[in-house]
Amino acid sequence: MTMSSKRVPCDPCRQRRVRCDGSSPCTSCQRSQLACKREYIRRPRSPKHGSGKKIAALRAAQSQIEINQDHTTAAHQSPGNDLLSPENLPHLMERCIDVYLHRMYPIMPLFRPSTLYQRLNRPQEPNERSMLYALCALVTAFMCGRSESIIRCGEWAACARRIIEKCLLMRSEYSFVKDNTVLTLLASFFVAITYFELHDIRKSWFYLREAITLAHALGLHTDEYYRGMNHVDALYCRRIHNILFVTERSLAIARHKPVLLSQPLPLPTPGPDEGLKGLEEQPEIDAGFRQFVRVYSQIDIDFLEFWSQRGSEQGGPNLLLDDGVMSDAQRADICVTQRWLDLVLWRAALQQG
């Protein structure tokens, strides 16, 4: 048995992964009665040169993260730009009209639903365009803090303000003060409610007073305005006057402001032949709106004048909800309104001792 100068393991020991003493034959092979051979040739090790796939994948992932961060930063720097682009704006307006008709119409039934879609699908006059912009601003402001699944936009407040800018810019293209339609006063009204939703009460009160002034200039409170008008158009116009009445009283109570509108207009009853067909709505919508106006009409004008000067040192009005037919949205809105009025009056009474 001879010993090699370098202890190179034999092939059987290498395959069995046991220690080899380097002898020829080695002790392990003799004990196991195996042929001790050294035919395996070890390949020399060379430096590793990979294809770079892992590095390329890491670089691509980092680049994608940087691109996403740039897009997020740009979106925060200019919110609403994509939604208000010329190619996306028509779709946004159509979705806003859908939200208004399905979620907000029972509280503000101010149009024939079909006329809104007709205006979207044809060339529009400046007063029509400004009114639609204002309505869309109201819907987007209404969505602040609510689900993003309806219009898929998280920057509601910023988007609403951008649409208001487009509305006011459109109004600068025509003499809106001399406009002899309700569209301009509706634009002012929707802008006022939008600013209320955005918690900008000063601007909200300003544009509400502007809408009331335009209604007075138009003669919406006079019998002369409705002479020769069919009962459906007259009903919608009287609703517009009454929504101004309700909104003014709501803000007047909240901010101790004087009022311009002393009472609502009586609403005509739809005829048996054309009532439901002409209104394009369920009967409970009209009944609920009448009840909503009645809640505010119970507040005496003398009480409001006293309230705007000093607050209340006397009991408030007793506001009752009739158990009539109305939609669930209207019933909820009236109940919330009544509880809010009770809270305001009780708080004022406690402050006055």
Side-chain angles (χ1 to χ4, degrees):
M1 182 175 65
T2 60
M3 296 284 294
S4 61
S5 59
K6 293 183 179 181
R7 183 175 293 184
V8 178
C10 64
D11 295 344
C13 289
R14 186 188 302 278
Q15 294 176 5
R16 293 170 60 199
R17 295 189 176 184
V18 298
R19 183 180 296 278
C20 182
D21 57 12
S23 303
S24 182
C26 68
T27 304
S28 179
C29 288
Q30 291 180 4
R31 187 183 301 116
S32 303
Q33 298 181 357
L34 295 173
C36 187
K37 299 180 180 180
R38 287 177 172 79
E39 298 177 350
Y40 173 78
I41 300 176
R42 179 181 295 178
R43 295 180 180 179
R45 294 183 178 180
S46 58
K48 292 184 177 180
H49 297 286
S51 61
K53 293 182 178 180
K54 180 63 69 175
I55 294 176
L58 291 173
R59 288 175 178 172
Q62 292 178 358
S63 298
Q64 187 62 40
I65 292 175
E66 292 175 357
I67 292 173
N68 293 339
Q69 290 176 346
D70 292 341
H71 287 172
T72 302
T73 302
H76 285 292
Q77 290 175 349
S78 55
N81 279 348
D82 292 338
L83 282 174
L84 300 182
S85 62
E87 59 273 12
N88 293 333
L89 183 57
H91 176 68
L92 173 63
M93 296 180 68
E94 183 177 354
R95 295 295 295 122
C96 287
I97 296 301
D98 289 338
V99 173
Y100 166 75
L101 292 177
H102 290 92
R103 294 175 178 261
M104 303 173 65
Y105 184 82
I107 309 302
M108 300 180 187
L110 308 178
F111 308 93
R112 284 189 180 93
S114 60
T115 61
L116 288 177
Y117 290 114
Q118 291 172 2
R119 287 191 170 99
L120 284 178
N121 297 323
R122 61 171 172 77
Q124 300 151 4
E125 297 293 332
N127 57 0
E128 292 179 306
R129 192 72 173 176
S130 62
M131 184 276 293
L132 290 174
Y133 280 149
L135 178 58
C136 292
L138 170 58
V139 174
T140 53
F142 176 78
M143 294 309 302
C144 290
R146 296 174 173 85
S147 172
E148 297 183 7
S149 62
I150 297 178
I151 309 179
R152 302 188 182 278
C153 172
E155 298 289 346
W156 297 117
C159 186
R161 293 184 186 276
R162 291 289 307 282
I163 300 176
I164 288 179
E165 291 176 3
K166 295 180 74 67
C167 168
L168 299 181
L169 180 62
M170 181 62 64
R171 289 214 307 186
S172 67
E173 297 183 1
Y174 72 103
S175 180
F176 72 91
V177 176
K178 298 180 180 180
D179 184 50
N180 196 31
T181 67
V182 298
L183 296 176
T184 298
L185 76 87
L186 279 174
S188 297
F189 170 71
F190 291 143
V191 170
I193 304 302
T194 302
Y195 277 124
F196 179 82
E197 293 286 345
L198 298 176
H199 309 291
D200 194 334
I201 303 300
R202 185 180 180 87
K203 289 184 178 180
S204 178
W205 182 253
F206 173 84
Y207 282 103
L208 177 62
R209 282 300 181 92
E210 181 180 83
I212 294 173
T213 301
L214 292 172
H216 280 161
L218 194 61
L220 212 62
H221 60 294
T222 65
D223 293 335
E224 180 68 23
Y225 181 80
Y226 302 96
R227 189 165 300 165
M229 187 180 298
N230 66 71
H231 93 279
V232 175
D233 291 338
L235 177 61
Y236 281 117
C237 290
R238 288 174 181 265
R239 282 180 179 178
I240 292 171
H241 178 278
N242 289 353
I243 201 70
L244 293 175
F245 166 83
V246 167
T247 306
E248 183 191 39
R249 292 212 164 184
S250 178
L251 284 178
I253 294 172
R255 298 293 168 177
H256 295 276
K257 300 289 188 180
V259 296
L260 296 176
L261 301 177
S262 59
Q263 60 185 3
L265 294 178
L267 298 178
T269 303
D273 297 332
E274 57 180 347
L276 186 60
K277 180 179 179 182
L279 290 179
E280 302 179 6
E281 64 187 36
Q282 299 299 321
E284 59 266 21
I285 298 294
D286 183 65
F289 184 80
R290 293 169 187 263
Q291 172 66 9
F292 183 60
V293 175
R294 195 187 75 83
V295 169
Y296 280 93
S297 63
Q298 295 179 73
I299 304 176
D300 187 77
I301 188 67
D302 294 333
F303 171 79
L304 287 174
E305 292 178 356
F306 182 80
W307 175 268
S308 67
Q309 297 173 7
R310 300 172 53 188
S312 177
E313 296 179 359
Q314 58 188 24
N318 182 20
L319 304 178
L320 301 176
L321 173 63
D322 290 341
D323 190 16
V325 178
M326 65 185 73
S327 70
D328 292 339
Q330 290 171 319
R331 184 177 297 276
D333 192 54
I334 292 174
C335 288
V336 170
T337 299
Q338 291 178 315
R339 299 291 79 79
W340 170 74
L341 289 171
D342 291 341
L343 176 63
V344 169
L345 297 175
W346 274 104
R347 183 178 297 171
L350 291 174
Q351 290 173 351
Q352 298 295 333

